[in-house]
DNA sequence: ACATGCGTCAACACCCTGTCGAGAACCATC
DNA sequence: GATGGTTCTCGACAGGGTGTTGACGCATGT
């Protein structure tokens, strides 16, 4: 769990007495409203007032719970990336038996997780350009995945399943970047995109050829 | 040249008497100011007032030349993509003699063009999330490149230089997407990125293995 | 001289963000 | 059931940005 908020108020660290309290409900209500509204329109089209009204509070009260609109999105993003991390954990450790199936599983799980929260992911892509915090959080998450893939590629090379080639880190960056961009295009539906039901197979194919120089590794 | 502006005023279609006029100077001044300012700070940090003052006019007068701040960026983007198109033209037609060198040339030229105008490209990435016009323009540009690459892949397969595999269009989309995202990370400098001097070689390697299943095609 | 259209800007209306200070509601303790 | 301290709430304000309006110069051709 990455630290999300710059200033103090909202969240678990505020110093609430103990369990449930009215404030927690409000906070969840804001989050829920945000996710609901994101399914309807773009993040930039949603004002803090919309979020507040949706949660049944006034705009100044919103600021008691979150320092800004972006902080809400950051919290949402945090959840999604945690889920993605959980989904991807352990997939690459037993790569040696049936590598093709493992790699496919990895890509497929990311696809499923992002697809399930596409409005949040799309919103993050929308503000990544303007919000340094979203950019940083996304960068650290991506870095984790890159390192996992890098390690897996090196392991495959050590056991002789994959030939030497590009530095494993550069390859891992390139492949993860490809996935990210292709998913974005697929989910956003703008511009040239791979059909959603084919996207896992297309990405997998490029991954396998890049790592093994063949699509059916040992 | 794609149509850029929604409403009438600026540009060549405004109905000016003939050649030079004070208005053209102002328009260039706005464009130049925008490009200069983009070298210093993010697009969202630049107000219309900044652009106007930089061009020596008042804010309302700015609206005489451009309908919005985004329209300025769109004009800038239009120039860059035209340049990129010119740079890429003809590179893929003689693929058969020395394919490796040709593909490398293609990637390398894009890299050079985007690198030369990185502030504009970065700014476009910044607003792509919120501005539908930028998104559309970028999409059409990307579509052109995808089609060119798709055709090249199919030609290579026909002459037996590349094996069959993924639908050429899907492959072209995936590879172009990868380049776009990797370039962005490299230029923006946020998150995991490939070193700028290696980026062409890394991308080329993935392209060649994906298309030919080897890095040294016939 | 005079109409026409380009070029210009002060002033306005509007929307959105973030803050401040005055309270209301809650909960522990005496 | 008073007291005191947090938690929580919002009306009102200040500020900054966008886009529009209406009136006014200044060329130019007739």
């Amino acid at each position: 769990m990455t630290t999300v908020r710059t200033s103090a108020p909202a969240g678990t660290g505020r110093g609430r007495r103990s369990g449930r309290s009215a404030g927690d409900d409000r906070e969840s209500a804001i989050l829920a409203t945000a996710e609901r509204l994101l399914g309807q329109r773009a993040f930039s089209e949603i004002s803090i007032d919309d979020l507040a009204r949706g949660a049944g509070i006034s705009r100044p009260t919103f600021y008691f719970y979150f320092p800004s609109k972006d902080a809400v999105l950051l919290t949402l993003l945090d959840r999604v990336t945690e889920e993605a991390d959980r989904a991807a954990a352990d997939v690459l450790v037993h790569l040696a038996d049936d590598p093709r199936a493992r790699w496919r599983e990895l890509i497929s799980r990311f696809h499923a997780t992002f697809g399930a929260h596409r409005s949040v992911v799309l919103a993050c892509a929308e503000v990544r350009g303007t919000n340094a915090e979203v950019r940083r959080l996304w960068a650290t998450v991506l870095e984790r995945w890159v390192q996992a893939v890098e390690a897996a590629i090196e392991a495959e090379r050590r056991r002789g399943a994959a030939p030497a080639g590009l530095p494993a880190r550069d390859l891992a960056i390139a492949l993860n970047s490809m996935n990210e961009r292709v998913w974005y295009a697929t989910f956003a539906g703008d511009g040239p995109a791979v059909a959603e039901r084919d996207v896992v197979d297309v990405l997998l194919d490029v991954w396998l050829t890049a790592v093994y120089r063949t699509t059916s590794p040992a």
Side-chain angles (χ1 to χ4, degrees), chain A residues 74-131:
Chain A
L74 227 26
T75 304
L76 253 21
L77 174 60
D78 220 48
R79 288 183 182 178
V80 175
T81 57
E82 267 174 51
E83 193 178 324
D85 278 341
R86 266 196 311 276
D90 303 336
V91 173
L92 290 182
V93 294
H94 295 305
L95 244 195
D97 31 286
D98 205 350
R100 186 178 217 281
R102 293 296 175 162
W103 287 112
R104 189 176 206 290
E105 186 69 13
L106 180 76
I107 294 173
S108 176
R109 288 195 187 179
F110 273 122
H111 183 65
T113 306
F114 288 160
H117 302 279
R118 65 184 67 191
S119 58
V120 172
V121 176
L122 253 20
C124 288
E126 182 184 330
V127 302
R128 184 176 42 196
T130 51
N131 183 306

Side-chain angles (χ1 to χ4, degrees), chain A residues 192-213:
Chain A
V194 177
E196 188 162 346
R197 71 163 183 296
D198 297 332
V199 71
V200 172
D201 291 315
V202 170
L203 294 173
L204 177 64
D205 194 277
V206 178
W207 279 58
L208 292 180
T209 51
V211 173
Y212 300 100
R213 309 275 142 115

Side-chain angles (χ1 to χ4, degrees), chain A residues 4-7 9 30 43 48 51 62-75 131 133:
Chain A
V4 157
R5 298 184 194 79
T6 43
S7 50
I30 293 173
F43 186 68
I48 289 179
L51 259 22
F62 167 92
Y63 286 100
F64 182 81
Y65 294 100
F66 293 95
S68 70
K69 198 174 67 161
D70 289 4
V72 176
L73 185 59
L74 227 26
T75 304
N131 183 306
E133 286 203 82

